Amino acid sequence: MLHTLKTKFGYEGFRPLQKEIIENILNHKDTLVLMPTGGGKSICYQLPALLMDGITIVISPLISLMKDQVDALLANGISAGALNSGNTDSENELVKQKCIQGTIKLLYVSPEKLLSEIDYLLKEIDIALFAVDEAHCISQWGHDFRPEYTQMGVLGHYFPKVPIVALTATADKITRQDIISQLKLKDPKVFISSFDRPNLSLRVEKGYLQKDKHKFILEFIESHKNEAGIIYCLSRKNTETIARFLEKKGVSTAVYHAGLPQHIREGAQDDFINDRVQVVCATIAFGMGIDKSNVRWVIHYNLPKSIESYYQEIGRAGRDGVPSDTVLFYSVADIIMLTKFANDSKQQQINLDKLDRMQEYAESYICRRRILLSYFGEESHQDCGNCDICKNPPERFDGSRITQMALSAIARTNESITLRLLVDILRGSQNQDVVEPGYHLIKTFGIGREIPPRDWNNYLLQMLQFGYIEIAYNEGNKLKITDSGRKVLFGKRVAELVTIIRDDKEEALTKRKKKEASLFDTKAEDLELFENLRALRKELAHKEEVPAYIIMSDKILHLIASSKPVTVEQFGTISGIGEYKQEKYGKQFTNCIKEYLNV
Ligand code: ADP
Ligand code: ZN
């Protein structure tokens, strides 16, 4: 096993559980694998496929996923093919022939193709193993339900001797049980690996106005030069607005949402995968089927509707294990909108509860990763050190005066104003909404002028969270003062607030970059060399017509840049470089390094 791992995939050792999973499969047992995105599920069936006699059939829901996997296998010199409706008939014929001749080790099929071939091709070939990828698609409870998946329970009937391995990144219990019962897995061994993704930094930004968000995003992208990222928005309109803004600023950007024609969507996805655009502004329609391993950051322009969605979406960053950044913007407007969606939905209570948990996460003042892990039922015993709370532990101060300003303005307008109007009044804005009802005449008008709007939004979120005010969703989202808010207003109680840390952009950035560098041992790595290697990779990708990350992941590229191998032999010792890639690319990469080093 270890030998094959090294020579075919170029890895020195197994990640947690991989070895146990592979052994279970090699013992012809049914297996269920729950591993987070980027955890290394593919090896769990690809390696047994190489060690078993016959062909491993991999069932996969999306053509783009199949293509990526097949390309990655071919890039490692492993024979693989795919049967699906995206191929021409003659392409499919060729693949079938190879199956019958036994010259393919892994065959990827869509569930439809699997069923239609069950009496034909599958009967003629020697099947070693069935691997059901994205197995949660079988469950109606999951988020990616695919009816075609539910018919795969027949596999055990047709092929009683062939073991099945089902793999998914969805952790919850219902889905897990659903997979086992629907696939009719026989006494399966279930492997659950940690869902922690320590390479993803977590950060929440509160109370930004749209223009502040845009400014933030632009600076963020400037600090992530050439690094691919996704911006998730709640509305289609927002995706387009941001994309236009970024394009104007010279950032290459694509838009992706369900309202666009298919060819536009496919084009956007393709451009992103092949590094022709740096940024995709998308609704949650984007992502499934994106196997791109070098997504370096994900921004949530709006609050997601649940922690599951959030975790899945940020999980699209850093699949290669390289440090990647995530930012979540959070505002009251989002809460109002999402509460409305949840109220209008079929499973109203469930969705409201999920939203509550999401909101708690965004408002938390304890390590965010601990909240996520506990949400997924995992214990964690220490703070992560890689979230905004850990990096800047919140400090509290006596915020009674600030809170009183807000409460007093709410009281003097008879609890009939929204949050936005409240900020306008506190800041002394002379706009129509303020002046018409005469709010510019109340005593608290302009009393909070010295506090910028963004901070007001932040403080007001805190007041909501600490329970001094509440939003009457059923009364046009007007603000109401709670009992404990009244105590603050009348000076009977101290209102603690959390200090807003305006992290000086420059300073924070260099600090972070330094931290990343140490995480990665990039001390020995030259940025210039990395860029040269990246350019070489791009050139090769273009020649071979595959995405750059298929040639080599960012992680491997970083390793090359820091260890600077100058012989093909040294090149072969790099983690992720198997014999095939060593042979194929060794010369070009070492030449590039030698040229750089002038040796
Ligand atoms: P998943 O399918 O679980 O999202 P992948 O199978 O695509 O994840 O693996 C994620 C990344 O981890 C890939 O770049 C893969 O090559 C790498 N990887 C997997 N197993 C190992 C290992 N044992 N050692 C080093 N890297 C690994
Ligand atoms: Zn933390």
Side-chain angles (χ1 to χ4, degrees):
M1 279 166 54
L2 210 55
H3 178 73
T4 312
L5 184 71
K6 173 72 199 141
T7 54
K8 292 292 182 181
F9 299 96
Y11 298 132
E12 286 305 323
F14 288 104
R15 292 214 182 132
L17 294 186
Q18 283 180 331
K19 181 161 174 275
E20 292 79 358
I21 292 164
I22 293 168
E23 277 169 349
N24 200 55
I25 294 172
L26 292 176
N27 285 329
H28 283 82
K29 301 261 175 50
D30 283 355
T31 315
L32 175 60
V33 176
L34 298 127
M35 238 183 224
T37 311
K41 287 185 283 299
S42 319
I43 297 272
C44 296
Y45 58 84
Q46 289 173 348
L47 198 131
L50 298 179
L51 297 176
M52 293 165 103
D53 288 330
I55 298 176
T56 290
I57 311 279
V58 187
I59 297 121
S60 176
L62 286 180
I63 294 175
S64 58
L65 281 180
M66 284 187 221
K67 187 170 158 23
D68 231 54
Q69 294 266 335
V70 172
D71 283 347
L73 285 165
L74 294 176
N76 274 325
I78 297 167
S79 63
L83 279 186
N84 57 47
S85 55
N87 289 351
T88 62
D89 284 348
S90 60
E91 278 169 339
N92 275 336
E93 261 333 295
L94 195 69
V95 174
K96 284 187 198 176
Q97 247 167 39
K98 284 188 189 165
C99 290
I100 292 167
Q101 291 159 355
T103 53
I104 272 183
K105 284 310 281 179
L106 288 115
L107 175 67
Y108 285 74
V109 291
S110 57
E112 300 90 331
K113 258 291 185 266
L114 176 88
L115 294 168
S116 69
E117 290 292 347
I118 220 161
D119 274 320
Y120 305 97
L121 178 68
L122 297 192
K123 283 216 163 134
E124 288 186 52
I125 59 180
D126 183 14
I127 301 174
L129 168 70
F130 286 110
V132 182
D133 206 3
E134 311 286 348
H136 62 277
C137 291
I138 208 166
S139 174
Q140 305 211 32
W141 307 109
H143 35 77
D144 294 319
F145 177 56
R146 296 191 166 238
E148 321 84 76
Y149 257 64
T150 56
Q151 294 172 42
M152 282 189 303
V154 300
L155 286 178
H157 171 74
Y158 277 84
F159 307 97
K161 292 220 173 73
V162 179
I164 300 175
V165 52
L167 309 102
T168 174
T170 301
D172 65 87
K173 271 206 186 105
I174 315 180
T175 312
R176 202 187 303 168
Q177 280 155 3
D178 232 13
I179 295 172
I180 294 178
S181 68
Q182 294 214 44
L183 281 177
K184 303 200 173 71
L185 299 183
K186 292 185 283 291
D187 192 19
K189 195 148 184 195
V190 181
F191 294 89
I192 304 173
S193 75
S194 168
F195 271 67
D196 194 8
R197 300 281 307 277
N199 64 316
L200 299 184
S201 75
L202 306 169
R203 171 171 180 181
V204 177
E205 292 292 335
K206 283 178 227 168
Y208 279 56
L209 306 171
Q210 175 160 323
K211 86 173 184 312
D212 295 326
K213 280 194 202 174
H214 284 188
K215 189 160 163 271
F216 179 102
I217 291 173
L218 193 62
E219 284 168 2
F220 181 90
I221 291 174
E222 276 163 6
S223 71
H224 287 76
K225 223 174 167 132
N226 290 326
E227 295 180 347
I230 307 171
I231 302 174
Y232 279 112
C233 307
L234 217 49
S235 74
R236 296 174 184 181
K237 200 174 128 247
N238 270 344
T239 61
E240 283 166 8
T241 313
I242 302 161
R244 249 195 321 269
F245 166 76
L246 290 177
E247 277 289 341
K248 232 184 258 162
K249 300 286 180 185
V251 180
S252 61
T253 311
V255 177
Y256 189 107
H257 59 67
L260 294 168
Q262 191 178 355
H263 70 276
I264 303 274
R265 271 182 291 156
E266 279 172 7
Q269 181 165 326
D270 212 48
D271 285 346
F272 185 59
I273 287 174
N274 289 294
D275 298 332
R276 286 190 293 268
V277 297
Q278 188 190 353
V279 180
V280 177
C281 297
T283 59
I284 54 169
F286 181 76
M288 171 100 168
I290 302 292
D291 232 353
K292 186 177 171 67
S293 72
N294 62 339
V295 176
R296 289 274 71 88
W297 53 269
V298 169
I299 292 178
H300 278 89
Y301 193 80
N302 304 101
L303 193 75
K305 63 182 193 307
S306 71
I307 289 190
E308 283 97 334
S309 319
Y310 170 66
Y311 205 54
Q312 193 179 41
E313 284 146 21
I314 60 171
R316 305 221 158 94
R319 296 180 65 137
D320 51 12
V322 177
S324 305
D325 294 320
T326 76
V327 179
L328 166 66
F329 285 111
Y330 167 53
S331 72
V332 171
D334 291 348
I335 289 290
I336 290 172
M337 177 124 78
L338 288 163
T339 303
K340 184 175 164 358
F341 288 166
N343 274 324
D344 294 346
S345 70
K346 271 200 213 113
Q347 297 172 302
Q348 190 192 47
Q349 200 48 52
I350 295 180
N351 290 334
L352 284 172
D353 289 346
K354 288 194 167 185
L355 180 58
D356 272 350
R357 299 295 298 273
M358 188 66 233
Q359 190 176 357
E360 279 165 28
Y361 169 83
E363 289 175 347
S364 164
Y365 292 108
I366 65 164
C367 169
R368 298 198 197 277
R369 201 170 315 265
R370 294 184 78 156
I371 301 179
L372 289 178
L373 292 177
S374 95
Y375 184 86
F376 292 114
E378 253 177 71
E379 273 179 50
S380 55
H381 299 287
Q382 57 193 30
D383 291 350
C384 76
N386 195 19
C387 73
D388 53 344
I389 301 291
C390 285
K391 286 174 190 161
N392 292 312
E395 271 171 41
R396 299 207 177 186
F397 69 100
D398 181 350
S400 302
R401 206 181 70 86
I402 294 176
T403 310
Q404 281 165 347
M405 288 183 201
L407 294 174
S408 152
I410 298 172
R412 283 170 200 276
T413 52
N414 296 321
E415 301 190 315
S416 63
I417 53 171
T418 60
L419 190 130
R420 182 196 291 225
L421 198 48
L422 172 60
V423 176
D424 283 347
I425 293 170
L426 289 167
R427 298 258 314 142
S429 306
Q430 298 268 7
N431 64 39
Q432 198 184 358
D433 292 342
V434 174
V435 175
E436 230 168 54
Y439 294 152
H440 60 303
L441 303 172
I442 66 172
K443 209 174 144 209
T444 30
F445 179 76
I447 195 174
R449 207 172 257 126
E450 82 279 15
I451 299 175
R454 207 188 99 196
D455 288 1
W456 264 122
N457 280 311
N458 190 326
Y459 287 137
L460 289 166
L461 269 173
Q462 294 188 34
M463 291 176 211
L464 274 166
Q465 181 196 359
F466 289 127
Y468 305 132
I469 49 178
E470 58 194 4
I471 297 177
Y473 292 107
N474 54 348
E475 271 182 58
N477 307 314
K478 296 191 172 124
L479 298 174
K480 307 285 169 188
I481 302 174
T482 62
D483 286 344
S484 75
R486 256 169 247 290
K487 287 189 189 136
V488 176
L489 184 57
F490 299 122
K492 292 195 189 122
R493 165 180 187 157
V494 172
E496 284 204 327
L497 292 176
V498 172
T499 313
I500 298 170
I501 300 169
R502 289 211 160 280
D503 58 8
D504 191 299
K505 195 188 81 203
E506 225 67 54
E507 192 195 14
L509 246 172
T510 43
K511 247 199 256 164
R512 211 204 54 213
K513 283 277 171 214
K514 263 191 202 140
K515 179 143 194 208
E516 275 172 16
S518 62
L519 251 171
F520 218 171
D521 191 24
T522 30
K523 271 170 260 146
E525 171 188 333
D526 268 295
L527 227 53
E528 193 188 328
L529 175 59
F530 182 79
E531 288 306 325
N532 294 354
L533 295 169
R534 198 213 294 265
L536 172 60
R537 178 178 69 169
K538 190 164 186 178
E539 190 187 309
L540 294 167
H542 188 71
K543 224 187 285 167
E544 296 182 33
E545 295 182 1
V546 292
Y549 61 85
I550 294 283
I551 305 272
M552 232 164 257
S553 70
D554 279 13
K555 183 164 192 164
I556 301 177
L557 222 53
H558 280 296
L559 289 173
I560 300 175
S562 58
S563 64
K564 303 187 182 64
V566 288
T567 66
V568 174
E569 206 159 52
Q570 290 167 353
F571 181 74
T573 63
I574 283 166
S575 171
I577 300 292
E579 282 173 351
Y580 189 79
K581 284 186 183 168
Q582 176 185 8
E583 189 69 21
K584 189 164 173 191
Y585 302 122
K587 266 229 162 67
Q588 280 156 297
F589 278 88
T590 48
N591 279 344
C592 174
I593 294 163
K594 280 192 278 195
E595 203 170 295
Y596 173 79
L597 295 175
N598 246 332
V599 293

